[in-house]
Amino acid sequence: MAVDRLAVMTEAKRVVVAAPRGYCAGVDRAVITVERALEVYGAPVYVRKQIVHNRHVVEEFEARGAIFVDDLAEVPAGATVVFSAHGVAPSVHADAAARGLRTIDATCPLVTRVHNEAKKFAAQGVDIVLIGHAGHEEVEGTTGEAPDSITLVERPEDVDALVLRDPSRVTFLTQTTLSVDETAETIARIRTKFPLLTDRSRDDICYATQNRQAAVKHIAADADLVIVVGSSNSSNSVRLVEVAKEAGAKDARRVDNASEIDVAWLEGVDRVGVTSGASVPESLVQGVCSFLEAHGFPPAVEEVLIEEKTFFGLPRELNAR
Ligand code: SF4
């Protein structure tokens, strides 16, 4: 009888892994860029900021001879420096040129698209409301393209206090890794406050962020617990925790890897959802699934909501090699 009860308990338990999850095309490209730079130029290769916001990726590259710096002043003249997937302001390119550095720009093409829009609107004299998180590297890079034309708002309530040069010449741009739902709310407020908004049909939240949020919503509705694998500075990973909770998960937690799971979170839990942010290697997700198996859960099943086929070629500095 005891064995039968155990079988029933195990049957009630379920682990569902969301798809898509993990690496997006921009992160994949940035990671391969550093790998290729190390092969082509040899260690050390300098990387401005974290190449992608994942502690494990950064530590692995450090072991292979990459040196991560916050400021180009830390890079010796003539050295090779890679710019991260989040993009940089034009002043950073100028600084690198002035220091005689060889640069490889791993900015995600979808971030570059936002930079180009910022330049276009600024040249037209249009004020830009940038929806994003203060201090995030992507926001700093985009703002650097048109600092006199861009005003940052972080949440819907911030819109009410906006005072711009000409309320009839206003548009918006967004960070690529925001919550789809909250951003829609912020844009609606901007449209109400500035009805003559220079129109844009959509936000700039990238396909990978949207797909990962849709996939986690799909598995969260009947989950007792959703575990999101991702680092604390990964905007899209942090958003996945919020989205999972809003979609109905009884609990949602972010971990860098399986070692951060507190077994107390599993008490009384039958249905676990697992996903990962766009900068997270799949091995870390598999580590979480193994941890759950070791704690009485069955092997995970994957629920694929959307197939992704997006691919970006390497930066031209490496393509030419
Ligand atoms: Fe590019 Fe989106 Fe990936 Fe960021 S999350 S690197 S914008 S594809």
Side-chain angles (χ1 to χ4, degrees):
M1 280 304 283
V3 172
D4 285 346
R5 258 204 317 273
L6 183 63
V8 170
M9 279 173 61
T10 307
E11 221 169 79
K13 289 185 183 289
R14 186 167 147 84
V15 178
V16 179
V17 183
R21 64 180 177 279
Y23 274 15
C24 59
V27 164
D28 203 32
R29 173 180 185 264
V31 166
I32 296 171
T33 296
V34 178
E35 284 170 355
R36 286 293 307 279
L38 284 164
E39 282 165 23
V40 172
Y41 300 111
V45 162
Y46 290 81
V47 183
R48 184 184 177 278
K49 308 286 185 183
Q50 293 191 348
I51 183 68
V52 297
H53 284 157
N54 185 266
R55 185 159 64 81
H56 294 268
V57 172
V58 168
E59 285 171 0
E60 274 188 24
F61 275 131
E62 280 175 336
R64 292 163 63 182
I67 298 175
F68 292 86
V69 297
D70 275 331
D71 196 302
L72 292 185
E74 301 166 60
V75 183
T80 300
V81 62
V82 179
F83 294 148
S84 79
H86 310 100
V88 296
S91 58
V92 176
H93 284 285
D95 190 15
R99 289 172 186 278
L101 306 179
R102 179 194 289 124
T103 60
I104 302 172
D105 189 356
T107 302
C108 175
L110 301 182
V111 174
T112 301
R113 191 162 75 184
V114 181
H115 283 219
N116 291 339
E117 289 282 281
K119 283 188 279 190
K120 182 186 82 182
F121 286 122
Q124 294 168 355
V126 172
D127 271 330
I128 301 161
V129 180
L130 175 61
I131 307 168
H133 297 292
H136 190 280
E137 285 146 51
E138 184 185 321
V139 165
E140 289 176 353
T142 304
T143 304
E145 293 286 0
D148 297 335
S149 302
I150 290 181
T151 305
L152 181 68
V153 300
E154 295 195 82
R155 53 192 74 79
E157 310 81 79
D158 295 347
V159 174
D160 301 341
L162 278 177
V163 179
L164 301 176
R165 291 176 296 188
D166 179 353
S168 69
R169 292 178 61 71
V170 177
T171 192
F172 65 86
L173 296 173
T174 76
Q175 193 177 325
T176 56
T177 50
L178 300 177
S179 153
V180 172
D181 295 334
E182 190 185 59
T183 304
E185 206 184 311
T186 309
I187 291 171
R189 286 230 198 177
I190 295 171
R191 286 191 196 283
T192 303
K193 187 169 171 81
F194 303 104
L196 298 177
L197 200 70
T198 303
D199 209 15
R200 299 191 75 228
S201 56
R202 47 154 299 187
D203 58 54
D204 304 292
I205 299 171
C206 75
Y207 80 97
T209 300
Q210 294 186 38
N211 290 351
R212 280 149 192 70
Q213 287 179 19
V216 82
K217 271 186 191 174
H218 184 65
I219 63 163
D222 65 349
D224 298 317
L225 169 68
V226 170
I227 298 175
V228 176
V229 188
S231 290
S232 58
N233 62 342
S234 163
S235 171
N236 76 85
S237 301
V238 174
R239 299 291 84 74
L240 287 173
V241 176
E242 296 166 359
V243 170
K245 284 183 181 163
E246 283 159 14
K250 291 193 186 113
D251 192 9
R253 306 276 181 162
R254 183 200 55 77
V255 295
D256 249 305
N257 56 50
S259 74
E260 293 182 358
I261 298 173
D262 184 340
V263 287
W265 301 344
L266 305 178
E267 275 169 30
V269 163
D270 284 330
R271 301 174 80 85
V272 181
V274 181
T275 190
S276 56
S279 48
V280 177
E282 177 61 14
S283 58
L284 300 177
V285 174
Q286 294 309 317
V288 166
C289 294
S290 301
F291 178 97
L292 292 170
E293 274 195 63
H295 288 79
F297 287 83
V301 292
E302 184 179 64
E303 283 195 11
V304 182
L305 186 68
I306 299 160
E307 301 269 4
E308 288 183 342
K309 296 195 172 72
T310 305
F311 166 81
F312 299 132
L314 288 179
R316 57 185 154 72
E317 302 91 331
L318 286 172
N319 271 334
R321 302 289 306 182

